[in-house]
Amino acid sequence: MGSELPPSPPEWVSEPCIMGIDEAGRGPVLGPMVYGCLYCALSYQKTLSTLSFADSKTLKEEKREELFESLKTDESIGWAVDVIDPRELSDKMLRKNKINLNEISHESAMGLIRKTLNLGVLLTEVYLDTVGDTEKYRVKLSERFPNIKFVVSKKADSLYPVVSGASIVAKVTRDRALRDWMPDETADLSKNFGSGYPGDPQTKAWLEDHKHSVFGFPSLVRFSWGTCTSYSKDFVDVLWESDAAEGDESGKSSKRQKKLTSVGFTTVKKRSEDIESSGKGRCKFFQARKLELLSQF
């Protein structure tokens, strides 16, 4: 989670302050989802409305970059971002106790609020775009932060300049993350992946060209997205050696373990969860994506 505030907090942070929160990249199958916030003194609100902030989706990339650089030099404004990696999104959405995208979004927004409060900023009002049921979201926020007034609204990024500013922070941060993406994989990967949205023909072609029958997709891909399902029909089943360590009622796993022992692959019978937790013998590809062995579905 990154942020920008002068080294020594300015005097205005002790005044009543407002905050806007917005996200970028909720729908794409590629890249991170970024939550951004922008905050300032309530007394600066009128000035904020003159800074040409608008919903980032309505602005050209050059204008977004210009506005972002401008707000970074404005000492009357603070901002922060939470960049949620594609692997983290997929890990949370596919784990046994699944965390859906709305919950991830809520926690990210509340994390930004909590971090700003910890900096000593006197937040009194926070404006957000709705995620899920508007009233339930507002109540959830109010229960977590009872001293703050929350306004949760559809199209908040086009209604409130403080949310428009947050929208620019989030969008520019995500754009830069995609532009500067450095693959974890050793293969030479193309960056011509289009918009990253599931319906984009260029994105579809990129996914087709960069799938691997064993290792799946590059780290840029949110492999939990339904878009990826159609590409998995060519994937091969992977049997972990740790699967053989526990044994099952049929005794097949015990025989497999005995066979591995006799040829020197293993000398100590370990429980699969021990092997999984240690990460020994596992490809870095799977460790990086936080893929876990599931014994039950």
Side-chain angles (χ1 to χ4, degrees), residues 160-179:
Y160 307 103
V162 71
V163 183
S164 302
S167 173
I168 290 168
V169 169
K171 178 62 174 171
V172 172
T173 300
R174 174 176 154 82
D175 287 348
R176 291 181 177 181
L178 286 172
R179 188 166 61 242

Side-chain angles (χ1 to χ4, degrees), residues 29-33 84-91 174 177-178 180-187 189-190 193 206-207 210-212 215-224 228 284-291:
V29 67
L30 302 180
M33 180 170 73
I84 309 172
D85 187 271
R87 292 168 293 190
E88 181 180 350
L89 288 171
S90 294
D91 171 56
R174 174 176 154 82
L178 286 172
D180 300 336
W181 173 59
M182 297 296 292
D184 293 332
E185 297 78 14
T186 56
L189 303 179
S190 167
F193 39 67
W206 189 90
L207 288 169
H210 291 81
K211 68 180 182 180
H212 191 284
F215 298 112
F217 295 98
S219 58
L220 186 68
V221 180
R222 304 176 188 179
F223 52 85
S224 60
C228 297
K284 290 182 178 179
F285 181 94
F286 295 97
Q287 294 182 48
R289 285 158 181 75
K290 302 179 182 178
L291 294 177

Side-chain angles (χ1 to χ4, degrees), residues 2-14 17 39-41 70-80 115-116 118-121:
S3 63
E4 190 72 21
L5 197 66
S8 55
E11 293 183 2
W12 60 261
V13 301
S14 60
C17 294
Y39 51 94
C40 64
S70 174
L71 70 85
K72 285 168 61 178
T73 61
D74 191 330
E75 294 185 355
S76 296
I77 292 175
W79 60 273
K115 179 177 181 180
T116 304
N118 290 341
L119 290 173
V121 180

Side-chain angles (χ1 to χ4, degrees), residues 15-18 42 122-126 147-150:
E15 302 176 24
C17 294
I18 60 171
L42 191 59
L122 180 59
L123 288 179
T124 58
E125 299 178 19
V126 176
N147 296 322
I148 298 175
K149 172 189 173 183
F150 288 96

